[in-house]
């Protein structure tokens, strides 16, 4: 597993903890890291796309930036009293993914007030529904231009930084 993948798992756990407990929000997050350590992070809901188009776009971004790993996270509501924040980190060269989950506690006003530590496990990459973003995506020339334009439009609004090793 690439060192960036392990670091990404630690960072996403901290990021979600800060968002949930500090700001009361739990967005669907997507982030990737390339071989030079450039990291991009954005909220998936901001895309406002259908599932298939969203998957194509995310694959386009992963491939255009030559990602070595990426992560996707979300809130999972099992019932009113049991909610989890879950994310998985997919490494390009590893058959296993890092899967992390923490239980979220809310108060009577539905505000997040507690989050357990993220439990980290390894799972076969093929069992993660969004693990195929490294697979070559075939896009029409128009669709590729559309995605390139969307990415250029998004770039100033997303978190971009260089990960330290």
């Amino acid at each position: 597993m690439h060192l960036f993948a392990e670091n990404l798992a630690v960072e996403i756990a901290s990021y979600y903890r800060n968002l949930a407990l500090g700001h009361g929000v739990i967005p669907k997050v997507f982030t990737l890291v390339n071989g030079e350590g450039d990291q991009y992070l954005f909220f998936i809901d901001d895309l406002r796309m259908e599932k298939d188009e969203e998957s194509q776009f995310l694959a386009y971004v992963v491939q255009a930036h030559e990602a070595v790993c990426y992560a996707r996270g979300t809130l999972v509501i099992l019932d009113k009293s049991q909610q989890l924040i879950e994310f998985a980190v997919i490494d390009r060269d590893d058959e296993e993914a890092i899967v992390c989950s923490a239980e979220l506690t809310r108060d009577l006003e539905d505000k997040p007030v507690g989050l357990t530590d993220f439990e980290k496990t390894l799972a076969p990459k093929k069992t993660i529904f969004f693990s195929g973003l490294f697979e070559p995506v075939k896009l029409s020339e128009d669709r590729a231009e559309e995605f390139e334009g969307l990415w250029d439009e998004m770039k100033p609004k997303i978190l971009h930084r260089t990960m330290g090793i």
Side-chain angles (χ1 to χ4, degrees):
M1 183 148 308
H2 197 281
L3 181 61
F4 286 142
E6 294 178 21
N7 287 345
L8 196 57
V10 171
E11 288 189 6
I12 296 300
S14 177
Y15 185 72
Y16 265 124
R17 181 168 301 286
N18 289 336
L19 282 175
L21 301 179
H23 301 283
V25 296
I26 302 98
K28 292 178 186 172
V29 170
F30 185 83
T31 186
L32 67 91
V33 179
N34 67 19
E36 287 77 48
D38 286 323
Q39 179 185 8
Y40 298 91
L41 183 142
F42 57 92
F43 298 155
I44 294 173
D45 289 335
D46 290 349
L47 297 175
R48 293 186 174 91
M49 295 177 171
E50 296 294 324
K51 279 280 185 227
D52 289 342
E53 185 181 20
E54 178 183 286
S55 292
Q56 284 183 337
F57 178 72
L58 295 177
Y60 165 81
V61 172
V62 164
Q63 293 166 34
H65 287 282
E66 300 176 347
V68 294
C69 61
Y70 62 86
R72 184 173 178 158
T74 193
L75 176 68
V76 177
I77 300 173
L78 302 173
D79 60 40
K80 180 77 173 155
S81 64
Q82 190 175 19
Q83 298 180 3
L84 306 171
I85 297 176
E86 294 188 338
F87 66 89
V89 179
I90 309 297
D91 187 287
R92 179 182 61 206
D93 299 324
D94 201 310
E95 291 303 311
E96 292 190 304
I98 301 171
V99 178
C100 298
S101 181
E103 191 166 344
L104 180 69
T105 306
R106 294 182 181 267
D107 64 14
L108 296 175
E109 296 171 358
D110 208 31
K111 293 181 183 169
V113 293
L115 186 64
T116 63
D117 288 338
F118 279 88
E119 292 184 29
K120 179 175 121 177
T121 59
L122 294 177
K125 183 164 58 175
K126 64 185 177 192
T127 64
I128 310 297
F129 81 93
F130 56 85
S131 66
L133 300 182
F134 288 116
E135 303 292 323
V137 62
K138 292 182 175 138
L139 300 174
S140 69
E141 193 172 314
D142 288 345
R143 180 54 62 106
E145 286 179 16
E146 176 186 332
F147 285 170
E148 184 178 349
L150 175 59
W151 182 250
D152 288 343
E153 185 180 310
M154 289 174 60
K155 270 181 135 176
K157 302 172 194 165
I158 64 176
L159 171 70
H160 174 225
R161 67 179 198 90
T162 301
M163 276 187 130
I165 298 180

